[in-house]
Amino acid sequence: MDRQAEYFIEAMGDVRLDPSLPNWYRFTERWWGVDEYDALTNAMLGHEKLAKLDKGYLIVRATVRATGRRRQGNKSPYPFDKCYETNPNVKGDVTRAWLRLQFCETEEKLHAYWHSIKEKYTFDERTWSQVEACYLRQLQRIRLGEAGPIRYELRHGLPECAGEKETFLHYVKRAVELLRLSGYRVQKEAGKYLVQRPLWLDPSPFARGSSEWRATPLDLILICERMMTQRQCDVIPVMECHGYVFASEDKIRDIFQKFTEKGITLILDVDDVGAKSLYTLAEAAGQARDLFAQLQVKLVADYTDPDAFHESDGLPDDYYHNLDNMLER
């Protein structure tokens, strides 16, 4: 069994039974799990049991962050190497102070909480020195830019001189971080990513009924942007979809060769009915459109309209078969 880690969960939501009812709630708690998905699942099952609701009736928007502690057998580890307190309740206060200090995101909040715990708690003098060290460490992290408010932006942290390949890989890495931060499970499998969404994250930005996807790196970026939109973040897309292309394999290879020569990253996406679409980084969209025009590449927004194409456009042999199957669903 994987070793359990501790996660700090901040969540708000309501009850799925009737969104018009005043059933809004929020909680800030520590939960154990093998990852963010598992910790959020444990938290929501616990809250549903407490509220005597069936599984899936609570909906929530959550932020899930690791505290850095790992379970030691059946015991929760003390936050410091040495413990000078004997009262279990005081030990719990020490843990709460340590936890809140390391998740203060601004100097203002950090100073305010530091003053509040000095007024609220009575610790051993040696314990106070440990807690103060935690406060000073977090203050330094904030001033160095290592800690701060969560930025739901895929571009955040991107080096100024990053090339296109490095930029795309940065977006993929940030997508993994932000999805996990929101309670999703993301695992790399054979060149793709297994993405799992907890039952309680709703409304889902994905197709109803599914809570698990095998995603390409491009899919991962698009999934993350839809998740951020669902969280009501201001999202500036980092990828540009230029439309669907129906061309022979040789023609597509030629297109990719020309884009490589120009130093433009071109990504081919194939959907579940075999239709191919072309993406570039948003910053390179203008150059890409000019190059598509030079190469006379025909791109359309709607591949379900066969009248937009001619035989010379290179429609694949199974296009109409795939189209019929899709329309019958």
Side-chain angles (χ1 to χ4, degrees):
M1 182 178 179
D2 293 332
R3 192 178 177 189
Q4 298 272 305
E6 184 184 53
Y7 293 88
F8 180 57
I9 301 176
E10 299 172 281
M12 58 183 294
D14 56 25
V15 180
R16 196 187 299 264
L17 291 171
D18 188 348
S20 66
L21 296 176
N23 288 325
W24 180 86
Y25 70 98
R26 70 186 307 160
F27 65 87
T28 301
E29 298 171 352
R30 290 173 290 133
W31 284 83
W32 295 91
V34 297
D35 58 11
E36 294 86 350
Y37 174 97
D38 191 42
L40 182 59
T41 296
N42 292 336
M44 297 311 298
L45 288 174
H47 280 271
E48 285 185 333
K49 183 177 181 180
L50 186 65
K52 298 181 180 179
L53 291 171
D54 291 336
K55 184 177 180 181
Y57 276 114
L58 294 179
I59 61 177
V60 73
R61 182 184 303 166
T63 301
V64 187
R65 290 178 283 182
T67 68
R69 299 201 302 170
R70 290 192 172 274
R71 192 183 292 278
Q72 299 172 349
N74 294 323
K75 297 181 179 180
S76 297
Y78 193 67
F80 304 116
D81 293 336
K82 292 183 179 180
C83 178
Y84 303 107
E85 308 293 345
T86 56
N87 187 316
N89 292 329
V90 176
K91 289 182 180 180
D93 291 338
V94 173
T95 298
R96 278 185 285 275
W98 165 81
L99 181 70
R100 291 293 298 275
L101 284 171
Q102 73 168 338
F103 285 117
C104 286
E105 299 167 335
T106 64
E107 284 194 43
E108 182 182 5
K109 290 181 179 179
L110 182 64
H111 294 322
Y113 186 66
W114 174 241
H115 290 302
S116 73
I117 63 175
K118 287 200 295 184
E119 294 177 359
K120 182 177 181 180
Y121 298 130
T122 303
F123 298 148
D124 180 285
E125 184 178 346
R126 293 167 295 183
T127 300
W128 272 120
S129 66
Q130 294 173 322
V131 176
E132 184 177 24
C134 182
Y135 158 75
L136 294 173
R137 185 164 54 251
Q138 184 66 4
L139 179 61
Q140 183 181 33
R141 292 183 67 238
I142 292 172
R143 289 177 174 175
L144 292 174
E146 297 173 359
I150 298 170
R151 300 276 296 275
Y152 284 93
E153 301 171 12
L154 290 175
R155 290 182 174 87
H156 179 62
L158 179 66
E160 290 185 7
C161 299
E164 287 206 3
K165 182 177 181 180
E166 185 181 358
T167 297
F168 181 75
L169 293 176
H170 173 83
Y171 293 156
V172 174
K173 181 181 177 182
R174 280 289 291 164
V176 172
E177 293 172 354
L178 292 174
L179 285 168
R180 287 175 176 166
L181 189 65
S182 298
Y184 291 76
R185 174 176 286 159
V186 184
Q187 298 172 307
K188 196 166 185 179
E189 290 188 351
K192 289 194 174 185
Y193 293 86
L194 174 64
V195 182
Q196 293 173 290
R197 174 181 58 84
L199 174 66
W200 301 270
L201 298 184
D202 191 73
S204 169
F206 313 104
R208 290 185 177 181
S210 179
S211 60
E212 182 175 304
W213 306 268
R214 279 176 171 76
T216 64
L218 172 64
D219 293 334
L220 203 62
I221 292 171
L222 301 180
I223 287 171
C224 185
E225 288 185 332
R226 289 196 292 268
M227 178 275 293
M228 291 190 290
T229 299
Q230 185 260 325
R231 292 186 70 110
Q232 300 179 343
C233 301
D234 293 329
V235 178
I236 301 176
V238 299
M239 304 300 296
E240 177 82 10
C241 179
H242 294 274
Y244 293 95
V245 58
F246 289 88
S248 65
E249 295 297 327
D250 288 341
K251 176 64 174 177
I252 290 177
R253 275 194 294 271
D254 289 342
I255 295 170
F256 269 81
Q257 179 64 35
K258 295 296 182 183
F259 270 76
T260 300
E261 291 172 1
K262 295 292 184 179
I264 303 173
T265 299
L266 184 64
I267 299 173
L268 178 69
D269 185 58
V270 183
D271 69 12
D272 57 357
V273 296
K276 301 178 177 67
S277 54
L278 295 173
Y279 284 79
T280 63
L281 297 177
E283 292 79 2
Q287 290 177 277
R289 281 191 288 269
D290 291 342
L291 189 52
F292 282 132
Q294 293 174 22
L295 298 174
Q296 298 183 330
V297 179
K298 188 168 184 179
L299 299 161
V300 296
D302 181 9
Y303 67 81
T304 63
D305 180 11
D307 294 330
F309 300 95
H310 303 286
E311 291 299 326
S312 60
D313 289 322
L315 286 169
D317 294 337
D318 60 352
Y319 170 73
Y320 291 102
H321 174 71
N322 288 340
L323 180 63
D324 290 341
N325 286 343
M326 182 193 69
L327 294 177
E328 287 173 4
R329 292 180 181 177

